[in-house]
């Protein structure tokens, strides 16, 4: 039996991974030629480059002048855990989770820090917890964008401006693609390998003046590893927020991120980055609207991520399969596209419902997003034909 005919056009860049993400258009290793390799990261030139990352990030994202910004170890995970271990325990905590990474912070809170005064607010993949139930006089922990569910908070209106608690926001697949309300965020973290396509293992940590006050007035009851320490003698270690990192960073990765930040400035800054990500989402949304076999995992259009675009297969043939068979079929769809060099890393996250995931961050060309979608149609029809004929 002859199967469906594959499309003729492939994306110029088939990389749709949700992390590490595609490099900026036109990137090459020549972008790293000015890297401060072979020098101490505390030397003037190298430290200046780290501080340049901080200040370019501040300007590009519109981060207030009185907020501190640091480059820290261990990617977004390290940055967020630094904040949790250093600041929590002073008051009760509300923690929100609607996908696997948010669930990881719940595990930290419940099983590692073992805070008793806690309220865990969870929702299934595709949904958000009830934001109106959050008490902002408690500390609030949440991800802005659920990387593995494709569900993001629509805005910061649910966060009280005159709150007594701190808000700790994991913004790793949101920052540079979504407009964050800095006045509502006290701790914000992200990693380089997401929206700007940087390299792994470096995290960014942003602290509001309220977060700094917490650090200087409160000492947690548990020991703090060296990598988590942000104070000296009860005062904020200001050097950390001026380019003096806790441990040795990769100066190649620093140079690469500077290149990405400069590219972002050239294409229109934050607005240009958001526009590209939104165009990718629109391209997928228009395609989904014309299909009856696929839909967004995010049930509410206002909470659909423009970066981690998660899709579910809704064809009755597929939904009638058992869980293991659905997972196998979905992986077969993404594998077929990959075998033809038309799209890489398209499978949903391992803990998410079986389906597909397309990264729509700003480094992905909208023309490439448009080019991969017919391949998904072809791969799905191919897999369906294979199964029906078996």
């Amino acid at each position: 039996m002859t199967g469906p005919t594959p499309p003729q056009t492939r994306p110029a860049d088939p990389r749709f991974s949700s992390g590490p993400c595609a490099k900026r258009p036109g990137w090459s290793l020549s972008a790293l030629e000015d890297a401060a390799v072979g020098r101490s990261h505390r030397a003037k030139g190298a430290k200046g480059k780290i501080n340049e990352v901080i200040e370019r990030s501040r300007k590009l994202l519109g981060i207030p002048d009185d907020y501190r910004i640091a480059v820290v170890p261990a990617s977004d995970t390290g940055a967020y855990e630094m904040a949790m271990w250093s600041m929590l325990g002073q008051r009760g905590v509300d923690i929100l989770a609607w996908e696997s990474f948010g669930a990881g912070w719940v595990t930290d809170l419940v099983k590692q820090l073992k805070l008793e005064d806690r309220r865990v607010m969870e929702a299934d993949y595709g949904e958000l917890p009830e934001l109106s139930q959050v008490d902002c006089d408690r500390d609030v922990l949440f991800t802005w964008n659920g990387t593995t569910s494709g569900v993001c908070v629509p805005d910061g209106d649910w966060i009280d401006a005159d709150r007594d608690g701190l808000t700790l926001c994991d913004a790793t697949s949101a920052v540079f693609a979504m407009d964050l309300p800095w006045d509502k965020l006290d701790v914000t973290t992200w990693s380089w390998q997401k929206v700007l396509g940087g390299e792994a293992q470096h995290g960014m940590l942003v602290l509001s003046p309220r977060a700094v006050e917490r650090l200087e007035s409160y000492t947690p009851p548990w020991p703090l590893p060296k990598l988590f320490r942000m104070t000296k003698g009860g005062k904020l270690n200001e050097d950390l927020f001026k380019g003096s990192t806790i441990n040795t960073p990769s100066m190649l990765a620093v140079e690469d991120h500077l290149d990405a930040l400069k590219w972002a400035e050239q294409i229109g800054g934050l607005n240009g980055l958001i526009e590209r990500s939104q165009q990718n989402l629109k391209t997928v949304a228009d395609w989904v609207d014309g299909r009856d076999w696929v839909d967004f995992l995010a049930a509410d259009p206002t909470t659909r991520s423009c970066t981690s675009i998660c899709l579910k297969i809704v064809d009755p043939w597929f939904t009638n399969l058992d869980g293991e068979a659905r997972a196998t079929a979905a992986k077969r769809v993404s594998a077929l596209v990959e075998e033809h060099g038309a799209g890489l890393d398209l499978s949903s996250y391992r803990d998410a419902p079986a389906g597909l995931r397309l990264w729509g961050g700003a480094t992905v060309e909208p023309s490439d997003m448009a080019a991969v979608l017919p391949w998904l149609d072809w791969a799905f029809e191919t897999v369906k034909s294979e199964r029906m004929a078996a």
Side-chain angles (χ1 to χ4, degrees), residues 43-281:
K44 182 178 179 181
K47 182 179 177 181
K49 286 180 177 290
I50 298 169
N51 199 53
E52 185 180 353
V53 165
I54 291 172
E55 293 310 318
R56 284 185 182 273
S57 299
R58 182 189 302 277
K59 183 177 180 181
L60 189 64
L61 295 170
I63 299 172
D65 291 342
D66 58 351
Y67 279 48
R68 280 21 177 248
I69 308 173
V71 176
V72 300
S75 195
D76 175 66
T77 301
Y80 205 74
E81 289 189 333
M82 282 179 74
M84 291 183 70
W85 260 252
S86 298
M87 299 183 200
L88 297 184
Q90 191 258 3
R91 61 181 59 229
V93 176
D94 283 0
I95 182 166
L96 288 69
W98 57 91
E99 49 91 50
S100 58
F101 290 109
W105 306 138
V106 172
T107 297
D108 274 1
L109 186 76
V110 175
K111 295 186 177 181
Q112 304 300 323
L113 294 176
K114 299 180 180 179
L115 293 184
E116 295 183 359
D117 188 1
R118 63 179 188 257
R119 298 196 307 169
V120 179
M121 304 178 182
E122 297 178 292
D124 290 335
Y125 280 85
E127 305 284 347
L128 273 179
E130 181 50 64
L131 299 179
S132 64
Q133 300 302 310
V134 174
D135 182 354
C136 292
D137 287 335
R138 299 161 64 85
D139 290 336
V140 180
L141 281 66
F142 69 104
T143 57
W144 191 276
N145 181 80
T147 308
T148 64
S149 71
V151 176
C152 61
V153 294
D155 52 49
D157 293 349
W158 54 281
I159 301 172
D160 293 341
D162 59 350
R163 61 195 176 277
D164 288 331
L166 298 180
T167 53
L168 282 69
C169 176
D170 172 357
T172 196
S173 56
V175 71
F176 296 115
M178 304 174 191
D179 196 9
L180 303 182
W182 294 105
D183 61 318
K184 299 293 185 73
L185 305 178
D186 295 304
V187 177
T188 310
T189 66
W190 68 89
S191 57
W192 292 354
Q193 69 263 32
K194 294 294 185 179
V195 177
L196 292 187
E199 297 305 303
Q201 292 303 323
H202 297 78
M204 298 295 289
L205 174 71
V206 178
L207 304 179
S208 74
R210 300 177 72 251
V212 173
E213 192 278 332
R214 173 72 65 84
L215 284 170
E216 294 184 337
S217 63
Y218 168 70
T219 301
W222 42 76
L224 285 180
K226 178 181 179 180
L227 290 180
F228 289 178
R229 297 174 200 160
M230 291 182 273
T231 60
K232 285 185 176 180
K235 293 295 183 181
L236 190 72
N237 180 4
E238 295 286 359
D239 288 344
L240 176 61
F241 301 90
K242 297 177 181 177
S244 292
T245 56
I246 293 174
N247 69 345
T248 307
S250 163
M251 297 310 299
L252 282 172
V254 168
E255 193 68 26
D256 183 62
H257 195 50
L258 281 174
D259 172 74
L261 289 166
K262 293 173 184 177
W263 168 77
E265 294 164 359
Q266 293 167 2
I267 66 164
L270 181 60
N271 288 337
L273 295 170
I274 292 174
E275 182 178 344
R276 285 173 64 89
S277 294
Q278 287 290 340
Q279 180 58 54
N280 282 325
L281 175 60

Side-chain angles (χ1 to χ4, degrees), residues 301-314:
T302 66
T303 69
R304 287 176 187 163
S305 170
C306 61
T307 56
S308 52
I309 303 172
C310 296
L311 303 171
K312 59 183 178 180
I313 299 173
V314 296

Side-chain angles (χ1 to χ4, degrees), residues 313-334:
I313 299 173
V314 296
D315 188 283
W317 157 80
F318 181 86
T319 57
N320 287 333
L321 298 174
D322 62 35
E324 184 176 349
R326 286 198 300 271
T328 299
K331 289 177 181 178
R332 173 70 174 149
V333 171
S334 60

Side-chain angles (χ1 to χ4, degrees), residues 32-40 46 49 250-253 255:
L32 309 181
E33 289 178 351
D34 195 39
V37 295
R39 294 294 312 278
S40 167
K49 286 180 177 290
S250 163
M251 297 310 299
L252 282 172
E255 193 68 26

